[in-house]
Amino acid sequence: MLAEIITIGDEILIGQVVDTNSAWMASKLNDAGIRVKQITSVSDERTHILEALAAGCERADVLLITGGLGPTKDDITKKTLAEYFGVGFKSDEATLEQVRKIFARNNRPLLEVNIRQADVPENCTVLLNKNGTAPGMWFEYNGKIIISMPGVPFEMMYLVEEEVIPRLKVRFELSSIVHHTMLTAGVGESFLAEEIADIEDSLPAHIKLAYLPKLGQVRLRLSGYGESRDELTREIGVFSTRIRERVGDFVVTDEDKPLEKALLDLMESKRLTLSVAESCTGGYLSHLITQHPGCSSVFVGGTVTYSNQLKQSVLGVLPETLAEKGAVSQETVTEMAEGARKNFGSDFAVAISGVAGPDGGTPQKPVGTVWVAVAGKNETVTKLFKFGNRRAQNIERAAVNAIILLLARVKGLA
Amino acid sequence: MLAEIITIGDEILIGQVVDTNSAWMASKLNDAGIRVKQITSVSDERTHILEALAAGCERADVLLITGGLGPTKDDITKKTLAEYFGVGFKSDEATLEQVRKIFARNNRPLLEVNIRQADVPENCTVLLNKNGTAPGMWFEYNGKIIISMPGVPFEMMYLVEEEVIPRLKVRFELSSIVHHTMLTAGVGESFLAEEIADIEDSLPAHIKLAYLPKLGQVRLRLSGYGESRDELTREIGVFSTRIRERVGDFVVTDEDKPLEKALLDLMESKRLTLSVAESCTGGYLSHLITQHPGCSSVFVGGTVTYSNQLKQSVLGVLPETLAEKGAVSQETVTEMAEGARKNFGSDFAVAISGVAGPDGGTPQKPVGTVWVAVAGKNETVTKLFKFGNRRAQNIERAAVNAIILLLARVKGLA
């Protein structure tokens, strides 16, 4: 069974927003055994939407559409769907009640356009949107299923999880898709590929291997497509074990989780705690860690000491160090890490100090210069990085490399 | 002139990565006066790529393709392009030299697959990729231009900015696209739409108004399409002034910038400094602020006091307050904000304490309960929020609402 995703909205096509909905939906559909054939983003234009619907129905059994369901005039998805099906509109009572409830709860006046939110094409089965005023809509047309949802992420998420996936499971005999991902750090993809070339060549046609490189990391993903989930899992297990035997030194985790989550899990298993002192990464490393539920068993806290004054008062960096060596130096980052470890009372502390850019660079310390320190009980390890000119990327790379450095330390512990 | 974007890679269609490349490219193309008609994501499958190429060439003048250019076997874009054009391969010397240089610099052995990176279809004009080993490729075929780039964001970005856009500008007489965006906070989109309905109705056909809602914010975007940039700018200026006169109370900024950047700019213009004390948002608010260049003139620093102990030692929250009222309370968040303001020496301090979830909720303080405090010279303002169950969303909403609360305070200052 094949699905396609269509996202509607000029804001995507002019690059004003990043389409995060599609990846989320694709991942949920995969979990349910549904392959996504294509993702298409089109503008809020009647003819373009009609073309995308027709093309999607040619290729797939199910279309999931998001966007264009708001109460304002630029939202035309509902009208265009009715035109595509050649039907008129009806008012849906459950939706109307939901709209009234939301406006009453927020003490906002109910306008005519809000009442119109409850109008749906006549051939529609309403999927009640408990998180908003625009209803989800399920259509069956010429043997295909077409589902329209609002583009607001948490409204779409509710509908996919609570309505769409359960209904698709009832409707179709779904086959199985099994992914197994290994995260490696500190090694290039072509090196990995060379090391495991014979294993890759021996894969059967229904199992694919993909390499996903990303800032110092490469994820190796085995994907199997077939009838039996158990059989696929067993087969993929055989190949992943062979790969692990070959390049296991570089494997950080055998699950599809982000690097910082692998670190958190490892530290938790060893009952170690962590604090963080950030300068140029400005809270990004703390954010990476604290986005994960349960992080508080490892993460004690952190500080963003942007100013030199805070580096002294919060972390105890010596004024002489700052004056003589500068904020971006091996000495300062060492004192930051050791100060965090001591003041915050954690087993390990990571400190990052660098020039994220675009300003602040000097000939000696150009933009992209970053020092990382990891302080533990017995020693503090430091490392100097020379990244490029882009601020966002320097922040990301500094945080990722700090995690890799800490991971190596923690892995090394008995 | 119309462009389309095609991103190639199974990782997108199984939801393993979010396609951020497309929005970035679309935004750059728009700036250059090039409209993006459609964005399409397809799998690493020969037939599917061939279909997408043919369909894209039907609709657009220029195709920008990313992905599938790595050295490993799952990358088949180059081979498939050669098949589409019906040509063989040639080795590109400049690329080969670039590949050798990169491997020498990183002290990695040059493998056969790496040398093959320099092979390109015979009809290709190479766009030298100074940030990586996979070359950008420019093709002209049946009156259309097809450009293939690596999917690694900073490699693609380099090629788009340095090669693709300049070459397209030489090639085409580009028309103009002008966008003007106003950011509003604290008001719903249907209310805004009702207030400015007559202005919207009076827009000429070549100017469109869009409403982009997002967590307590609505962006109003006027987009004009035409020949003369000056004339479009003037026309849009007339309508944006009328909108501002009508709903100006809710307008945070008249530029297309994120909420926290509007805050930074406002505080900078008033020469005010800021510090941040975060608990449940775990560094996210600091990260939002510090991702912007030049933030250090406003942002002094912050702390992520995840543990109660750090709330006491870093911020001076009283043990009694924590014991009697709990970490998530009006009293604690007030002491956190006032402690940050004092200890970090800033004009304003924002503190956030809440239950992000999924664990940690109680009947009295369920997941989603968040207190925000803004401490200034003369008073501390607090606000209680009751969000939902999703951790990522609670973190985001808490940070956004803290910014809105602080913005209102700062705006109110003479």
Side-chain angles (χ1 to χ4, degrees):
Chain A
M1 204 270 274
L2 284 179
E4 287 203 11
I5 294 170
I6 300 176
T7 62
I8 298 174
D10 290 353
E11 66 275 18
I12 297 171
L13 294 171
I14 69 167
Q16 195 163 30
V17 304
V18 171
D19 171 22
T20 55
N21 282 349
S22 293
W24 189 91
M25 282 188 278
S27 156
K28 291 291 163 185
L29 290 167
N30 257 253
D31 289 345
I34 301 166
R35 282 181 86 155
V36 176
K37 169 92 176 156
Q38 180 166 316
I39 298 169
T40 312
S41 299
V42 301
S43 61
D44 295 303
E45 252 175 18
R46 187 183 140 269
T47 52
H48 198 185
I49 296 172
L50 291 171
E51 275 170 36
L53 287 170
C57 283
E58 290 272 313
R59 287 181 302 254
D61 308 296
V62 176
L63 300 187
L64 285 89
I65 307 171
T66 62
L69 296 185
T72 51
K73 289 174 193 160
D74 53 325
D75 292 308
I76 60 162
T77 300
K78 207 156 62 176
K79 209 164 57 184
T80 310
L81 280 168
E83 179 182 344
Y84 184 71
F85 301 129
V87 300
F89 281 91
K90 62 181 181 188
S91 178
D92 181 66
E93 268 195 45
T95 302
L96 189 54
E97 201 182 300
Q98 165 75 358
V99 171
R100 288 191 198 283
K101 223 166 61 187
I102 287 184
F103 276 79
R105 196 205 301 153
N106 294 330
N107 266 323
R108 286 193 178 155
L110 190 68
L111 308 171
E112 178 63 24
V113 288
N114 303 124
I115 293 170
R116 291 282 79 80
Q117 291 276 82
D119 292 350
V120 296
E122 279 165 351
N123 62 334
C124 157
T125 302
V126 166
L127 312 177
L128 191 66
N129 173 5
K130 294 201 177 155
N131 286 336
T133 56
M137 298 180 287
W138 175 289
F139 304 96
E140 313 220 353
Y141 184 73
N142 285 348
K144 308 287 180 172
I145 291 174
I146 298 172
I147 301 151
S148 167
M149 293 173 285
V152 178
F154 73 100
E155 300 183 21
M156 174 280 293
M157 287 171 178
Y158 168 82
L159 286 167
V160 168
E161 287 187 327
E162 301 299 323
E163 296 282 353
V164 175
I165 301 266
R167 283 168 192 257
L168 289 174
K169 280 185 173 164
V170 169
R171 235 353 243 290
F172 294 92
E173 280 278 333
L174 301 175
S175 58
S176 293
I177 306 176
V178 174
H179 300 294
H180 180 89
T181 299
M182 283 168 273
L183 175 64
T184 68
V187 61
E189 61 171 329
S190 52
F191 179 85
L192 283 171
E194 187 87 359
E195 289 290 300
I196 60 174
D198 57 318
I199 305 177
E200 184 169 2
D201 289 337
S202 71
L203 290 172
H206 64 287
I207 297 182
K208 288 178 82 174
L209 175 66
Y211 298 80
L212 307 167
K214 182 186 165 194
L215 289 180
Q217 312 158 54
V218 178
R219 281 181 286 184
L220 297 176
R221 189 192 66 233
L222 287 161
S223 300
Y225 302 88
E227 289 311 311
S228 156
R229 169 166 290 269
D230 290 349
E231 178 56 19
L232 284 172
T233 305
R234 194 196 59 74
E235 280 187 283
I236 284 180
V238 171
F239 290 105
S240 67
T241 303
R242 290 182 59 196
I243 291 172
R244 220 194 146 110
E245 282 165 7
R246 193 73 60 79
V247 294
D249 284 353
F250 304 108
V251 174
V252 173
T253 170
D254 224 347
E255 291 168 60
D256 189 15
K257 55 185 169 191
L259 195 62
E260 73 278 0
K261 181 72 171 94
L263 171 72
L264 277 172
D265 291 347
L266 182 66
M267 291 189 77
E268 187 172 20
S269 73
K270 298 192 176 203
R271 296 172 172 271
L272 295 168
T273 58
L274 173 65
S275 64
V276 164
E278 300 182 69
S279 187
C280 66
T281 47
Y284 183 66
L285 176 57
S286 290
H287 166 59
L288 280 183
I289 292 168
T290 58
Q291 67 187 320
H292 299 288
C295 63
S296 58
S297 61
V298 170
F299 185 71
V300 174
T303 180
V304 183
T305 53
Y306 234 56
S307 72
N308 278 349
Q309 211 182 323
L310 287 199
K311 290 187 183 74
Q312 297 172 40
S313 63
V314 177
L315 296 171
V317 176
L318 297 172
E320 306 88 84
T321 310
L322 288 165
E324 284 161 29
K325 307 291 180 176
V328 179
S329 65
Q330 187 175 23
E331 292 78 3
T332 296
V333 81
T334 300
E335 291 181 25
M336 285 172 68
E338 293 175 353
R341 190 178 169 274
K342 185 172 146 235
N343 294 354
F344 300 164
S346 56
D347 298 309
F348 281 93
V350 182
I352 303 174
S353 187
V355 189
D359 307 316
T362 64
Q364 289 74 40
K365 294 173 188 174
V367 169
T369 305
V370 176
W371 276 101
V372 173
V374 173
K377 196 178 166 191
N378 299 317
E379 58 168 351
T380 299
V381 177
T382 60
K383 194 165 174 182
L384 172 65
F385 297 92
K386 291 176 182 178
F387 303 132
N389 285 317
R390 289 177 186 277
R391 182 178 181 88
Q393 207 184 305
N394 288 338
I395 291 173
E396 174 114 27
R397 286 182 141 189
V400 165
N401 279 288
I403 295 167
I404 293 176
L405 195 64
L406 176 57
L407 249 173
R409 274 296 290 284
V410 176
K411 266 181 122 175
L413 297 179
Chain B
M1 203 269 274
L2 284 178
E4 287 204 10
I5 295 169
I6 299 175
T7 60
I8 299 173
D10 291 351
E11 65 276 18
I12 297 171
L13 294 170
I14 69 167
Q16 194 163 30
V17 305
V18 171
D19 170 24
T20 54
N21 282 350
S22 292
W24 189 90
M25 281 188 279
S27 156
K28 291 289 164 189
L29 291 167
N30 257 254
D31 289 345
I34 302 165
R35 283 181 85 155
V36 176
K37 168 94 176 155
Q38 180 167 316
I39 299 168
T40 311
S41 298
V42 301
S43 62
D44 295 303
E45 252 174 20
R46 186 184 140 270
T47 53
H48 197 184
I49 295 172
L50 291 172
E51 275 171 37
L53 287 170
C57 283
E58 291 272 312
R59 286 181 302 254
D61 309 296
V62 176
L63 300 187
L64 285 90
I65 307 171
T66 62
L69 296 183
T72 51
K73 288 173 193 160
D74 52 325
D75 292 308
I76 61 162
T77 300
K78 206 156 65 176
K79 210 165 57 185
T80 309
L81 280 167
E83 181 182 344
Y84 184 72
F85 302 128
V87 301
F89 281 90
K90 62 182 180 187
S91 179
D92 181 67
E93 267 196 45
T95 302
L96 189 55
E97 201 180 300
Q98 166 74 357
V99 171
R100 286 190 200 283
K101 221 166 61 185
I102 288 183
F103 276 79
R105 196 206 301 154
N106 295 329
N107 265 323
R108 286 193 178 154
L110 190 68
L111 308 171
E112 177 64 22
V113 288
N114 305 123
I115 293 169
R116 291 281 80 79
Q117 290 277 82
D119 290 352
V120 297
E122 279 164 351
N123 62 335
C124 158
T125 303
V126 166
L127 313 177
L128 191 65
N129 174 4
K130 294 201 176 156
N131 287 336
T133 56
M137 298 180 288
W138 174 288
F139 304 95
E140 314 220 352
Y141 184 72
N142 287 348
K144 308 285 180 172
I145 291 174
I146 298 171
I147 302 151
S148 167
M149 293 173 285
V152 178
F154 74 99
E155 299 183 23
M156 175 279 293
M157 288 172 178
Y158 168 82
L159 286 167
V160 168
E161 287 186 326
E162 303 299 323
E163 296 282 353
V164 174
I165 302 266
R167 282 168 191 258
L168 290 176
K169 281 186 174 163
V170 170
R171 228 2 235 291
F172 293 92
E173 280 279 333
L174 299 176
S175 58
S176 293
I177 306 176
V178 174
H179 300 295
H180 180 88
T181 300
M182 283 168 271
L183 175 63
T184 69
V187 62
E189 61 171 329
S190 52
F191 179 84
L192 284 171
E194 188 86 358
E195 289 289 302
I196 59 174
D198 57 318
I199 305 176
E200 184 169 3
D201 289 337
S202 72
L203 291 171
H206 64 287
I207 298 184
K208 287 178 82 174
L209 175 66
Y211 299 81
L212 306 166
K214 181 187 166 194
L215 289 179
Q217 311 160 52
V218 178
R219 282 182 285 184
L220 296 176
R221 189 192 65 234
L222 286 161
S223 300
Y225 303 87
E227 290 311 310
S228 155
R229 168 167 291 270
D230 290 346
E231 177 57 19
L232 284 172
T233 305
R234 193 196 61 74
E235 279 186 282
I236 285 180
V238 171
F239 290 105
S240 67
T241 304
R242 290 182 59 197
I243 291 173
R244 221 194 146 109
E245 280 165 8
R246 194 72 61 80
V247 294
D249 285 353
F250 304 108
V251 174
V252 172
T253 170
D254 224 349
E255 291 170 58
D256 191 16
K257 55 186 168 190
L259 194 63
E260 73 278 0
K261 181 71 169 94
L263 171 73
L264 276 172
D265 291 348
L266 183 66
M267 291 190 77
E268 188 172 20
S269 73
K270 300 193 175 205
R271 297 173 173 270
L272 294 168
T273 58
L274 173 66
S275 65
V276 164
E278 300 182 69
S279 187
C280 67
T281 47
Y284 183 66
L285 176 57
S286 291
H287 166 58
L288 281 182
I289 292 168
T290 58
Q291 68 186 317
H292 298 287
C295 63
S296 58
S297 62
V298 170
F299 185 70
V300 174
T303 179
V304 183
T305 52
Y306 234 56
S307 71
N308 278 349
Q309 211 181 323
L310 287 199
K311 289 186 183 76
Q312 297 172 41
S313 63
V314 177
L315 297 170
V317 176
L318 298 173
E320 306 87 84
T321 309
L322 288 165
E324 283 161 30
K325 306 291 180 177
V328 180
S329 65
Q330 187 176 22
E331 292 78 4
T332 296
V333 81
T334 300
E335 291 182 25
M336 285 171 68
E338 292 175 353
R341 189 176 171 274
K342 185 173 147 232
N343 293 355
F344 300 166
S346 56
D347 299 308
F348 282 93
V350 181
I352 303 174
S353 186
V355 189
D359 307 317
T362 64
Q364 289 75 39
K365 295 172 188 173
V367 169
T369 305
V370 176
W371 275 100
V372 173
V374 174
K377 196 179 167 191
N378 299 318
E379 58 168 353
T380 300
V381 176
T382 60
K383 193 164 174 182
L384 173 64
F385 296 92
K386 290 175 180 176
F387 303 131
N389 285 316
R390 288 177 185 278
R391 182 177 182 89
Q393 207 184 305
N394 288 337
I395 290 174
E396 175 114 26
R397 286 181 142 191
V400 166
N401 278 289
I403 296 167
I404 293 175
L405 195 64
L406 175 57
L407 249 173
R409 274 296 289 282
V410 176
K411 265 181 124 177
L413 296 179

